[in-house]
Amino acid sequence: MCYGRCARCIGHSLVWLATLCIVANVLLYFPNGETKYASDNHLSRFVWFFSGILGGGLLMFVPAFTFIGLDQEDCCGCCGHENCGKRCAMLSSVLAALLGIAGSGYCVIVAALGLEEGPRCMDASGQWNYTFASTEGDYLLDSSTWSNCVEPKHIVEWNVSLFSILLALGGIEFILCLIQVINGMLGGVCGYCSSRQQVRTSYDAEIKQCF
């Protein structure tokens, strides 16, 4: 199995997922394409937590490019053997994966809280509040109540769609980073890219060279 190739695939996937997270988070600031609600602070408070921009977005580029660049990274070699350096690089990628798990976890938690509380909107009495905060998320299953939000128009659909996208993207990022933790540890122990027989031969040779 080629652990390095697997890491690169995960890295490229994370780049696209992080980009989509940023786009989804940015769209939350402009219900119906309007900017006045953001400037008047009439958005859900969880929009301002930047879960998609920071957690699932910019922070995710760190592990993504780390995984993609594993081909060129060898920890400057170790014990005078290149493959040993590759193993060191694979193990170090586990730290980057843990950072990705933290970022994606943050994105998932904030998106879930945003869905549960619902949007900040104007009700029929003209008051701006969290109309569905007391429903504990039950409003998600009863779309007939969504019309209780008078302004912005279709804000419930807007928030539910985008927070759901962030929840899904963050969840996929979390799983991919978790896979890389396992992949990095296996790559560090078994070798960057090798068969079972090559692993045994390479490991024995490196042990002799180190000692």
Side-chain angles (χ1 to χ4, degrees), residues 66-183:
T66 298
F67 304 156
I68 293 172
L70 281 175
D71 240 0
Q72 289 75 40
E73 181 61 56
D74 65 353
C75 290
C76 300
C78 66
C79 299
H81 200 286
E82 180 183 0
N83 194 46
C84 183
K86 291 291 186 183
R87 290 181 178 183
C88 173
M90 286 298 292
L91 288 174
S92 67
S93 73
V94 173
L95 297 177
L98 292 175
L99 180 65
I101 286 176
S104 58
Y106 175 71
C107 181
V108 167
I109 291 171
V110 173
L113 291 173
L115 282 172
E116 182 186 24
E117 186 174 65
R120 187 168 190 263
C121 62
M122 180 189 292
D123 58 23
S125 64
Q127 298 295 318
W128 286 90
N129 53 43
Y130 291 95
T131 306
F132 305 108
S134 60
T135 67
E136 297 182 347
D138 290 340
Y139 78 97
L140 294 168
L141 304 176
D142 187 6
S143 58
S144 63
T145 62
W146 294 3
S147 58
N148 292 339
C149 276
V150 178
E151 189 180 352
K153 291 183 179 179
H154 307 297
I155 185 60
V156 180
E157 294 89 337
W158 188 267
N159 266 36
V160 168
S161 298
L162 293 174
F163 273 127
S164 295
I165 289 173
L166 286 174
L167 184 65
L169 292 176
I172 296 172
E173 289 175 338
F174 186 92
I175 293 171
L176 288 176
C177 288
L178 188 60
I179 291 173
Q180 179 53 30
V181 170
I182 300 171
N183 181 60

Side-chain angles (χ1 to χ4, degrees), residues 76-85 87 200-211:
C76 300
C78 66
C79 299
H81 200 286
E82 180 183 0
N83 194 46
C84 183
R87 290 181 178 183
R200 182 182 296 275
T201 303
S202 176
Y203 180 77
D204 291 343
E206 286 168 15
I207 290 297
K208 290 180 181 179
Q209 192 166 5
C210 288
F211 296 99

Side-chain angles (χ1 to χ4, degrees), residues 14-16 18-19 22 53-54 56-66:
L14 288 178
V15 169
W16 286 106
T19 303
I22 293 173
I53 294 176
L54 295 180
L58 297 178
L59 192 63
M60 202 57 56
F61 286 128
V62 176
F65 289 120
T66 298

Side-chain angles (χ1 to χ4, degrees), residues 194-204:
S194 48
S195 65
R196 185 178 300 175
Q197 183 61 37
Q198 287 173 323
V199 168
R200 182 182 296 275
T201 303
S202 176
Y203 180 77
D204 291 343

